[in-house]
Amino acid sequence: MNSKILPRFKCLPGRAGQWTLMITGGLLFFLAAGASKAATIWLDDLDLGAVNQSWGDPHKNRSVEDHPLTLGGQVFDRGLGTHAESTLYVRLEGNAKSFSATVGVDDEVQSNAATVQFQIYGDNHLLWQSRVLHSGDGAQTCNVVLKGVQILLLKVDDPSGDISFAHADWAAASFEMANGFRPVTLSSPDEVAQILTPAPRAKPRINGAAIQGVRPGSPFLYTIAATGERPMTFSAKHLPDGLSLDPLTGRITGTLNQLGTYQVTLKAKNRRGSSTRSFTIVVGSQIALTPPMGWNSWNCFAGAVSEDKVKAAAKALVDSGLADHGWTYVNVDDFWQNNYRTKDPTLRGPYRDAQGNIQPNARFPDMKGLADYIHSLGLKAGLYSSPGPWTCGGCAGSWRHEAQDAAQDAAWGFDYLKYDWCSYEDVAQGKVHSSPDLPTWQSSHGTNDTAVASYPYNVMGLCLRAQPRDIFYSLCQYGMRDVWKWGESVQGNAWRTTGDINDSWSSMSRIGFSQDPAAPYAGPGHWNDPDMLVVGKVGWGHLHPTRLTPNEQYTHISLWCLLSAPLLIGCDLTQLDPFTLNLLENDEVLAVDQDILGREATTVWKEGTERIYAKPLSDGSKAVGLFNLGETPTQIKVTWTELGLKGKLHVRDLWRQKDLGRHKDSYTVTVPRHGVALFKVW
Ligand code: GLA
């Protein structure tokens, strides 16, 4: 008992003191009795915004398609309508007695294709699971004792693996709670944001692409990316005539007119020592011999982008040290042009001048100045347009101005063009009106004729090839008509393979783990693009820290590197936190993406929620990712046979940059929820 309070009772006079003690004692008894009494808390009274699901939005007291919750003909007025695969974490801190619910596939599903299985985990242990339920199977009830459970997981799986029609209801779902505790919903269990990448050493280390392609006569720009203490000086042996190196900045510029391959040795030196690395320059028809690495404005700023923000991003790419790891491109996405949909005066104005030249909006007063500024930092500049009359955001596109726009991009000095289908759908379907303010396009993203789907990309591809500078050509049409099979034939250097990514586990993992069919088509000069990175502060104009957990972010970066994907950071670079920076500056991980062999990883083993990916590297080793898509930590074993290897092999942990010794036949590791173990094996 608190000794400071005790004397106060002592001081109370006679009877008044007794009464006070009796009243206080009674109150304490009442409170204690009240606290231990169970209270019913309904699941639908908690914040359901924390539900992760593969399709649609979670609904309070309604089905996922917003009908009354109905199971086997019975209508429920309370509960959660979700869609498999679905997860919801609930923090209970040992204060729950039980959870009960009636579950099933909602009657709104007419097709018999749905398959779901409801599961309840307490602190990573399976406490209960339903039968595998199909549409029309009616409901199953559960009542689960939760004594001592800290974190509860309510999960709906689709055992068929195909989530079609998996409309799942947790009807009449409630907790019996003790101690007056109110459960708190979470989108993921708390996770420590572990910093894994060791800090760069003071001695120089040369990073980034070890090969660059250039076309004869095009301006050449390559900045030697190197970590280590400054000041640092740079030199190069066997640099071909036509190129020169600035020893203070490490920038190699000039032009080469002779076709050929040049082997150069780069050297970086500071007071701690020096390091060298070989660098290959290929003068020929191909550029982008490794996937591009850089930044794009869309995932953070979307329609709120401006010249100032792009310049700040370019400066931050250098000041943060990211450029020293090979991050190079600074790409403006949609909304640098004038827009027909908005009333925002900074986006309203002429789409083109009297000669048909595209006009930037008031937020981009000097396009050439912007590209020059980006180049002055040793970086490269990118731009965005659409083959249709309008971009996806409703800005002026390149339709019927393709040659003029390509020439303009080159004259301004841009090095990259993302070309986004969107309103071309209307052109393809013959629906475009001649007046610029008329079209309100409805994109079905579904043109089912490859000749039609590829035509506008070929038009722009040829226009870009006619320019006196190399412009990386990024096709954005969401994977229509298996673009990976023909993207290279229309001059594409990369092509999006899916729809847009967002910063959720379901979006990132669905996109990332479905790339196998396109993998054989990736290679030096032409890459599959599973969309931009969603780490750091993202938000499409409304910034928030990524909703991916730290382990999910390790999975994202590891997987994109294994996939030889273009790596375009999507966050606000002026607000980088130490975790995000650390995630983006692991040279051994980035080297997997930039490997000069240019092979894309594929799945070598898959069971349940476990995936093993392997990517052959140019030095004869393999980069291997062991992924756990499940909700609990899992031991995953990779055998050398699965990798096409045998014997006693070296294993190196790439995130920790640490050798793990030599291992015979296999290697086993525990991989956290939604996490990865990324190795090099040789
Ligand atoms: C599409 C693309 C995105 C982005 C926007 C811009 O959705 O897929 O990456 O470029 O358009 O409007």
Side-chain angles (χ1 to χ4, degrees), residues 512-548:
F513 291 108
S514 64
Q515 299 292 313
D516 277 1
Y521 300 91
H526 48 94
W527 310 99
N528 291 309
D529 175 5
D531 208 358
M532 300 174 286
L533 303 175
V534 280
V535 299
K537 274 204 174 161
V538 292
W540 299 268
H542 307 279
L543 291 177
H544 60 256
T546 179
R547 292 177 294 148
L548 296 180

mmCIF file of all heavy atoms in Angstrom, residues 512-548:
data_model
loop_
_atom_site.group_PDB
_atom_site.id
_atom_site.type_symbol
_atom_site.label_atom_id
_atom_site.label_comp_id
_atom_site.label_asym_id
_atom_site.label_seq_id
_atom_site.Cartn_x
_atom_site.Cartn_y
_atom_site.Cartn_z
ATOM 1 N N GLY A 512 4.501 -9.587 -57.238
ATOM 2 C CA GLY A 512 5.873 -10.093 -57.212
ATOM 3 C C GLY A 512 5.968 -11.596 -57.430
ATOM 4 O O GLY A 512 6.879 -12.073 -58.117
ATOM 5 N N PHE A 513 5.030 -12.340 -56.869
ATOM 6 C CA PHE A 513 5.136 -13.802 -56.949
ATOM 7 C C PHE A 513 4.384 -14.383 -58.153
ATOM 8 O O PHE A 513 4.106 -15.569 -58.179
ATOM 9 C CB PHE A 513 4.670 -14.442 -55.636
ATOM 10 C CG PHE A 513 5.605 -14.168 -54.482
ATOM 11 C CD1 PHE A 513 5.251 -13.292 -53.463
ATOM 12 C CD2 PHE A 513 6.857 -14.762 -54.431
ATOM 13 C CE1 PHE A 513 6.118 -13.020 -52.411
ATOM 14 C CE2 PHE A 513 7.742 -14.498 -53.387
ATOM 15 C CZ PHE A 513 7.371 -13.629 -52.379
ATOM 16 N N SER A 514 4.024 -13.530 -59.127
ATOM 17 C CA SER A 514 3.310 -14.074 -60.291
ATOM 18 C C SER A 514 4.060 -13.791 -61.596
ATOM 19 O O SER A 514 3.461 -13.752 -62.662
ATOM 20 C CB SER A 514 1.905 -13.456 -60.365
ATOM 21 O OG SER A 514 2.020 -12.061 -60.581
ATOM 22 N N GLN A 515 5.368 -13.603 -61.505
ATOM 23 C CA GLN A 515 6.114 -13.162 -62.689
ATOM 24 C C GLN A 515 6.705 -14.299 -63.532
ATOM 25 O O GLN A 515 7.271 -14.034 -64.601
ATOM 26 C CB GLN A 515 7.243 -12.210 -62.254
ATOM 27 C CG GLN A 515 6.772 -10.950 -61.544
ATOM 28 C CD GLN A 515 6.016 -10.007 -62.456
ATOM 29 O OE1 GLN A 515 6.448 -9.730 -63.565
ATOM 30 N NE2 GLN A 515 4.867 -9.533 -62.012
ATOM 31 N N ASP A 516 6.582 -15.539 -63.068
ATOM 32 C CA ASP A 516 7.248 -16.644 -63.770
ATOM 33 C C ASP A 516 6.980 -16.710 -65.286
ATOM 34 O O ASP A 516 7.925 -16.913 -66.064
ATOM 35 C CB ASP A 516 6.872 -17.989 -63.139
ATOM 36 C CG ASP A 516 7.736 -18.306 -61.914
ATOM 37 O OD1 ASP A 516 8.599 -17.470 -61.564
ATOM 38 O OD2 ASP A 516 7.541 -19.372 -61.302
ATOM 39 N N PRO A 517 5.712 -16.536 -65.728
ATOM 40 C CA PRO A 517 5.479 -16.705 -67.174
ATOM 41 C C PRO A 517 6.288 -15.735 -68.029
ATOM 42 O O PRO A 517 6.653 -16.054 -69.164
ATOM 43 C CB PRO A 517 3.975 -16.420 -67.329
ATOM 44 C CG PRO A 517 3.392 -16.597 -65.971
ATOM 45 C CD PRO A 517 4.478 -16.272 -64.987
ATOM 46 N N ALA A 518 6.572 -14.539 -67.472
ATOM 47 C CA ALA A 518 7.283 -13.535 -68.276
ATOM 48 C C ALA A 518 8.794 -13.696 -68.182
ATOM 49 O O ALA A 518 9.534 -13.142 -69.009
ATOM 50 C CB ALA A 518 6.874 -12.135 -67.806
ATOM 51 N N ALA A 519 9.259 -14.458 -67.196
ATOM 52 C CA ALA A 519 10.699 -14.499 -66.896
ATOM 53 C C ALA A 519 11.595 -14.828 -68.085
ATOM 54 O O ALA A 519 12.624 -14.170 -68.283
ATOM 55 C CB ALA A 519 10.959 -15.469 -65.744
ATOM 56 N N PRO A 520 11.245 -15.807 -68.923
ATOM 57 C CA PRO A 520 12.175 -16.143 -70.005
ATOM 58 C C PRO A 520 12.395 -15.005 -70.989
ATOM 59 O O PRO A 520 13.335 -15.043 -71.787
ATOM 60 C CB PRO A 520 11.489 -17.320 -70.723
ATOM 61 C CG PRO A 520 10.434 -17.802 -69.795
ATOM 62 C CD PRO A 520 10.068 -16.677 -68.888
ATOM 63 N N TYR A 521 11.539 -14.008 -70.977
ATOM 64 C CA TYR A 521 11.638 -12.930 -71.977
ATOM 65 C C TYR A 521 12.503 -11.765 -71.508
ATOM 66 O O TYR A 521 12.721 -10.811 -72.250
ATOM 67 C CB TYR A 521 10.233 -12.436 -72.347
ATOM 68 C CG TYR A 521 9.404 -13.555 -72.930
ATOM 69 C CD1 TYR A 521 8.613 -14.358 -72.111
ATOM 70 C CD2 TYR A 521 9.477 -13.848 -74.291
ATOM 71 C CE1 TYR A 521 7.883 -15.414 -72.631
ATOM 72 C CE2 TYR A 521 8.761 -14.906 -74.823
ATOM 73 C CZ TYR A 521 7.957 -15.690 -73.986
ATOM 74 O OH TYR A 521 7.259 -16.733 -74.517
ATOM 75 N N ALA A 522 12.970 -11.789 -70.251
ATOM 76 C CA ALA A 522 13.821 -10.696 -69.767
ATOM 77 C C ALA A 522 15.267 -10.964 -70.154
ATOM 78 O O ALA A 522 15.685 -12.117 -70.243
ATOM 79 C CB ALA A 522 13.716 -10.592 -68.250
ATOM 80 N N GLY A 523 16.005 -9.899 -70.356
ATOM 81 C CA GLY A 523 17.423 -10.052 -70.666
ATOM 82 C C GLY A 523 18.029 -8.686 -70.885
ATOM 83 O O GLY A 523 17.298 -7.679 -70.897
ATOM 84 N N PRO A 524 19.342 -8.628 -71.085
ATOM 85 C CA PRO A 524 19.985 -7.333 -71.280
ATOM 86 C C PRO A 524 19.297 -6.520 -72.382
ATOM 87 O O PRO A 524 19.119 -7.005 -73.491
ATOM 88 C CB PRO A 524 21.420 -7.712 -71.659
ATOM 89 C CG PRO A 524 21.630 -9.026 -70.958
ATOM 90 C CD PRO A 524 20.310 -9.741 -71.070
ATOM 91 N N GLY A 525 18.873 -5.316 -72.023
ATOM 92 C CA GLY A 525 18.205 -4.446 -72.992
ATOM 93 C C GLY A 525 16.698 -4.425 -72.873
ATOM 94 O O GLY A 525 16.035 -3.525 -73.377
ATOM 95 N N HIS A 526 16.110 -5.436 -72.205
ATOM 96 C CA HIS A 526 14.643 -5.521 -72.163
ATOM 97 C C HIS A 526 14.200 -6.292 -70.922
ATOM 98 O O HIS A 526 14.505 -7.467 -70.766
ATOM 99 C CB HIS A 526 14.114 -6.167 -73.439
ATOM 100 C CG HIS A 526 14.844 -7.422 -73.799
ATOM 101 N ND1 HIS A 526 14.419 -8.665 -73.435
ATOM 102 C CD2 HIS A 526 16.009 -7.609 -74.461
ATOM 103 C CE1 HIS A 526 15.268 -9.564 -73.868
ATOM 104 N NE2 HIS A 526 16.259 -8.952 -74.494
ATOM 105 N N TRP A 527 13.453 -5.625 -70.064
ATOM 106 C CA TRP A 527 13.166 -6.165 -68.738
ATOM 107 C C TRP A 527 11.681 -6.199 -68.431
ATOM 108 O O TRP A 527 10.926 -5.317 -68.869
ATOM 109 C CB TRP A 527 13.875 -5.304 -67.671
ATOM 110 C CG TRP A 527 15.324 -5.079 -67.993
ATOM 111 C CD1 TRP A 527 15.870 -3.967 -68.567
ATOM 112 C CD2 TRP A 527 16.403 -6.010 -67.811
ATOM 113 N NE1 TRP A 527 17.226 -4.142 -68.750
ATOM 114 C CE2 TRP A 527 17.579 -5.388 -68.293
ATOM 115 C CE3 TRP A 527 16.490 -7.298 -67.284
ATOM 116 C CZ2 TRP A 527 18.830 -6.020 -68.272
ATOM 117 C CZ3 TRP A 527 17.729 -7.921 -67.264
ATOM 118 C CH2 TRP A 527 18.875 -7.283 -67.757
ATOM 119 N N ASN A 528 11.289 -7.201 -67.662
ATOM 120 C CA ASN A 528 9.914 -7.226 -67.127
ATOM 121 C C ASN A 528 9.833 -6.250 -65.963
ATOM 122 O O ASN A 528 10.726 -6.224 -65.120
ATOM 123 C CB ASN A 528 9.565 -8.633 -66.625
ATOM 124 C CG ASN A 528 9.442 -9.623 -67.758
ATOM 125 O OD1 ASN A 528 8.724 -9.367 -68.725
ATOM 126 N ND2 ASN A 528 10.144 -10.743 -67.659
ATOM 127 N N ASP A 529 8.748 -5.488 -65.914
ATOM 128 C CA ASP A 529 8.624 -4.442 -64.901
ATOM 129 C C ASP A 529 7.401 -4.715 -64.016
ATOM 130 O O ASP A 529 6.268 -4.484 -64.436
ATOM 131 C CB ASP A 529 8.484 -3.091 -65.638
ATOM 132 C CG ASP A 529 8.235 -1.929 -64.701
ATOM 133 O OD1 ASP A 529 8.259 -2.124 -63.475
ATOM 134 O OD2 ASP A 529 8.009 -0.813 -65.218
ATOM 135 N N PRO A 530 7.624 -5.218 -62.805
ATOM 136 C CA PRO A 530 6.489 -5.479 -61.913
ATOM 137 C C PRO A 530 6.041 -4.228 -61.137
ATOM 138 O O PRO A 530 5.375 -4.343 -60.121
ATOM 139 C CB PRO A 530 7.031 -6.575 -60.973
ATOM 140 C CG PRO A 530 8.515 -6.399 -60.975
ATOM 141 C CD PRO A 530 8.909 -5.662 -62.227
ATOM 142 N N ASP A 531 6.371 -3.074 -61.641
ATOM 143 C CA ASP A 531 5.982 -1.760 -61.110
ATOM 144 C C ASP A 531 6.955 -1.283 -60.025
ATOM 145 O O ASP A 531 7.846 -2.003 -59.602
ATOM 146 C CB ASP A 531 4.536 -1.742 -60.595
ATOM 147 C CG ASP A 531 3.927 -0.334 -60.702
ATOM 148 O OD1 ASP A 531 4.624 0.598 -61.126
ATOM 149 O OD2 ASP A 531 2.742 -0.179 -60.362
ATOM 150 N N MET A 532 6.701 -0.059 -59.594
ATOM 151 C CA MET A 532 7.707 0.658 -58.796
ATOM 152 C C MET A 532 7.675 0.251 -57.321
ATOM 153 O O MET A 532 6.736 -0.374 -56.852
ATOM 154 C CB MET A 532 7.464 2.146 -58.973
ATOM 155 C CG MET A 532 7.591 2.529 -60.444
ATOM 156 S SD MET A 532 7.156 4.216 -60.807
ATOM 157 C CE MET A 532 5.404 4.244 -60.684
ATOM 158 N N LEU A 533 8.712 0.661 -56.611
ATOM 159 C CA LEU A 533 8.880 0.244 -55.221
ATOM 160 C C LEU A 533 7.957 1.030 -54.290
ATOM 161 O O LEU A 533 7.721 2.223 -54.499
ATOM 162 C CB LEU A 533 10.335 0.428 -54.795
ATOM 163 C CG LEU A 533 11.349 -0.320 -55.671
ATOM 164 C CD1 LEU A 533 12.777 0.024 -55.260
ATOM 165 C CD2 LEU A 533 11.123 -1.825 -55.607
ATOM 166 N N VAL A 534 7.455 0.345 -53.279
ATOM 167 C CA VAL A 534 6.532 0.989 -52.326
ATOM 168 C C VAL A 534 7.116 0.922 -50.914
ATOM 169 O O VAL A 534 6.493 0.409 -49.989
ATOM 170 C CB VAL A 534 5.115 0.382 -52.393
ATOM 171 C CG1 VAL A 534 4.339 0.959 -53.567
ATOM 172 C CG2 VAL A 534 5.142 -1.139 -52.493
ATOM 173 N N VAL A 535 8.339 1.420 -50.786
ATOM 174 C CA VAL A 535 8.962 1.517 -49.458
ATOM 175 C C VAL A 535 9.129 3.006 -49.134
ATOM 176 O O VAL A 535 9.072 3.844 -50.031
ATOM 177 C CB VAL A 535 10.328 0.797 -49.418
ATOM 178 C CG1 VAL A 535 10.159 -0.681 -49.738
ATOM 179 C CG2 VAL A 535 11.324 1.433 -50.387
ATOM 180 N N GLY A 536 9.325 3.315 -47.869
ATOM 181 C CA GLY A 536 9.465 4.713 -47.449
ATOM 182 C C GLY A 536 8.119 5.410 -47.385
ATOM 183 O O GLY A 536 7.072 4.763 -47.283
ATOM 184 N N LYS A 537 8.148 6.746 -47.473
ATOM 185 C CA LYS A 537 6.882 7.495 -47.421
ATOM 186 C C LYS A 537 6.279 7.579 -48.813
ATOM 187 O O LYS A 537 6.825 8.233 -49.699
ATOM 188 C CB LYS A 537 7.117 8.894 -46.865
ATOM 189 C CG LYS A 537 7.067 8.926 -45.370
ATOM 190 C CD LYS A 537 6.725 10.306 -44.850
ATOM 191 C CE LYS A 537 6.539 10.220 -43.351
ATOM 192 N NZ LYS A 537 6.638 11.527 -42.714
ATOM 193 N N VAL A 538 5.175 6.872 -48.997
ATOM 194 C CA VAL A 538 4.476 6.868 -50.277
ATOM 195 C C VAL A 538 3.074 7.436 -50.047
ATOM 196 O O VAL A 538 2.778 7.913 -48.954
ATOM 197 C CB VAL A 538 4.397 5.430 -50.847
ATOM 198 C CG1 VAL A 538 5.772 4.936 -51.254
ATOM 199 C CG2 VAL A 538 3.762 4.468 -49.844
ATOM 200 N N GLY A 539 2.217 7.359 -51.038
ATOM 201 C CA GLY A 539 0.847 7.810 -50.760
ATOM 202 C C GLY A 539 0.140 8.534 -51.884
ATOM 203 O O GLY A 539 -0.945 9.047 -51.690
ATOM 204 N N TRP A 540 0.731 8.624 -53.096
ATOM 205 C CA TRP A 540 0.002 9.153 -54.242
ATOM 206 C C TRP A 540 -0.635 10.513 -53.908
ATOM 207 O O TRP A 540 -1.815 10.752 -54.111
ATOM 208 C CB TRP A 540 -1.046 8.127 -54.724
ATOM 209 C CG TRP A 540 -0.371 6.863 -55.159
ATOM 210 C CD1 TRP A 540 0.035 6.570 -56.429
ATOM 211 C CD2 TRP A 540 0.036 5.750 -54.339
ATOM 212 N NE1 TRP A 540 0.675 5.340 -56.431
ATOM 213 C CE2 TRP A 540 0.676 4.816 -55.182
ATOM 214 C CE3 TRP A 540 -0.079 5.442 -52.978
ATOM 215 C CZ2 TRP A 540 1.207 3.616 -54.720
ATOM 216 C CZ3 TRP A 540 0.446 4.243 -52.506
ATOM 217 C CH2 TRP A 540 1.072 3.354 -53.378
ATOM 218 N N GLY A 541 0.206 11.388 -53.354
ATOM 219 C CA GLY A 541 -0.278 12.730 -53.024
ATOM 220 C C GLY A 541 -0.666 12.895 -51.565
ATOM 221 O O GLY A 541 -0.860 14.007 -51.095
ATOM 222 N N HIS A 542 -0.803 11.801 -50.834
ATOM 223 C CA HIS A 542 -1.158 11.870 -49.405
ATOM 224 C C HIS A 542 -0.160 10.987 -48.660
ATOM 225 O O HIS A 542 -0.410 9.811 -48.424
ATOM 226 C CB HIS A 542 -2.592 11.387 -49.174
ATOM 227 C CG HIS A 542 -3.577 12.094 -50.046
ATOM 228 N ND1 HIS A 542 -4.068 13.335 -49.742
ATOM 229 C CD2 HIS A 542 -4.106 11.758 -51.248
ATOM 230 C CE1 HIS A 542 -4.871 13.731 -50.721
ATOM 231 N NE2 HIS A 542 -4.910 12.790 -51.636
ATOM 232 N N LEU A 543 0.973 11.554 -48.314
ATOM 233 C CA LEU A 543 2.085 10.732 -47.832
ATOM 234 C C LEU A 543 1.824 10.059 -46.492
ATOM 235 O O LEU A 543 1.278 10.659 -45.580
ATOM 236 C CB LEU A 543 3.336 11.599 -47.715
ATOM 237 C CG LEU A 543 3.935 12.076 -49.032
ATOM 238 C CD1 LEU A 543 5.121 12.982 -48.783
ATOM 239 C CD2 LEU A 543 4.336 10.897 -49.910
ATOM 240 N N HIS A 544 2.230 8.816 -46.440
ATOM 241 C CA HIS A 544 2.222 8.056 -45.184
ATOM 242 C C HIS A 544 3.342 7.023 -45.270
ATOM 243 O O HIS A 544 3.731 6.644 -46.369
ATOM 244 C CB HIS A 544 0.860 7.372 -44.966
ATOM 245 C CG HIS A 544 0.504 6.412 -46.071
ATOM 246 N ND1 HIS A 544 -0.411 6.693 -47.046
ATOM 247 C CD2 HIS A 544 0.985 5.186 -46.375
ATOM 248 C CE1 HIS A 544 -0.478 5.672 -47.897
ATOM 249 N NE2 HIS A 544 0.352 4.749 -47.509
ATOM 250 N N PRO A 545 3.843 6.555 -44.111
ATOM 251 C CA PRO A 545 4.866 5.507 -44.193
ATOM 252 C C PRO A 545 4.258 4.271 -44.849
ATOM 253 O O PRO A 545 3.081 3.967 -44.620
ATOM 254 C CB PRO A 545 5.213 5.215 -42.726
ATOM 255 C CG PRO A 545 4.662 6.356 -41.950
ATOM 256 C CD PRO A 545 3.514 6.914 -42.721
ATOM 257 N N THR A 546 5.031 3.581 -45.662
ATOM 258 C CA THR A 546 4.511 2.380 -46.328
ATOM 259 C C THR A 546 3.800 1.472 -45.332
ATOM 260 O O THR A 546 4.225 1.333 -44.183
ATOM 261 C CB THR A 546 5.638 1.594 -47.030
ATOM 262 O OG1 THR A 546 5.064 0.433 -47.636
ATOM 263 C CG2 THR A 546 6.726 1.142 -46.062
ATOM 264 N N ARG A 547 2.731 0.844 -45.777
ATOM 265 C CA ARG A 547 2.012 -0.083 -44.896
ATOM 266 C C ARG A 547 2.659 -1.463 -44.891
ATOM 267 O O ARG A 547 2.207 -2.355 -44.184
ATOM 268 C CB ARG A 547 0.543 -0.175 -45.336
ATOM 269 C CG ARG A 547 -0.217 1.132 -45.088
ATOM 270 C CD ARG A 547 -1.642 1.041 -45.594
ATOM 271 N NE ARG A 547 -1.675 0.926 -47.038
ATOM 272 C CZ ARG A 547 -2.607 0.253 -47.720
ATOM 273 N NH1 ARG A 547 -3.570 -0.380 -47.085
ATOM 274 N NH2 ARG A 547 -2.561 0.200 -49.041
ATOM 275 N N LEU A 548 3.709 -1.654 -45.684
ATOM 276 C CA LEU A 548 4.411 -2.945 -45.638
ATOM 277 C C LEU A 548 5.213 -3.010 -44.342
ATOM 278 O O LEU A 548 5.848 -2.026 -43.953
ATOM 279 C CB LEU A 548 5.368 -3.074 -46.827
ATOM 280 C CG LEU A 548 4.771 -3.108 -48.223
ATOM 281 C CD1 LEU A 548 5.886 -3.250 -49.256
ATOM 282 C CD2 LEU A 548 3.781 -4.248 -48.366
#
